Amino acid sequence: MISSVDYFVICSAATSTQVRAIADNIEEELDNAGVHFNHKEGYREGEWVLLDYGDVAAHIFRDENREYYALEELWSSAEITRFEG
């Protein structure tokens, strides 16, 4: 179960392999900085990975799942900062 969070990081990738690679990179970089997740879900399937870091939750979707669940629309009044890479 996800805790109460202040920020969501939402991103997507074309394949399950890419979704897992993004999750691995987030986990590795934050682990190196001494930040460890509280909970992880969905990694095996690679369709939607959730990394719960307490105040921040990272959601990594396959493209079609991000469109389907449209988390950004659930919090439409929240401030959104977009990053393109």
Side-chain angles (χ1 to χ4, degrees):
M1 180 102 204
I2 190 167
S3 61
S4 175
V5 299
D6 294 323
Y7 299 95
F8 283 144
V9 174
I10 303 172
C11 60
S12 54
T15 69
S16 295
T17 300
Q18 291 172 335
V19 167
R20 286 189 292 270
I22 292 168
D24 288 343
N25 188 257
I26 291 170
E27 186 178 344
E28 181 180 330
E29 291 296 322
L30 290 176
D31 193 52
N32 288 341
V35 179
H36 308 288
F37 64 84
N38 297 327
H39 185 76
K40 177 166 61 173
E41 289 185 28
Y43 185 85
R44 180 183 297 163
E45 297 83 7
E47 298 293 317
W48 175 359
V49 176
L50 165 69
L51 299 172
D52 175 3
Y53 284 92
D55 292 340
V56 178
H59 296 269
I60 307 103
F61 290 95
R62 283 203 47 206
D63 291 331
E64 59 271 11
N65 290 329
R66 181 173 179 179
E67 289 178 27
Y68 178 79
Y69 289 104
L71 289 186
E72 294 94 332
E73 292 179 22
L74 293 175
W75 290 276
S76 60
S77 63
E79 181 181 338
I80 295 176
T81 304
R82 297 189 188 281
F83 295 93
E84 299 289 330

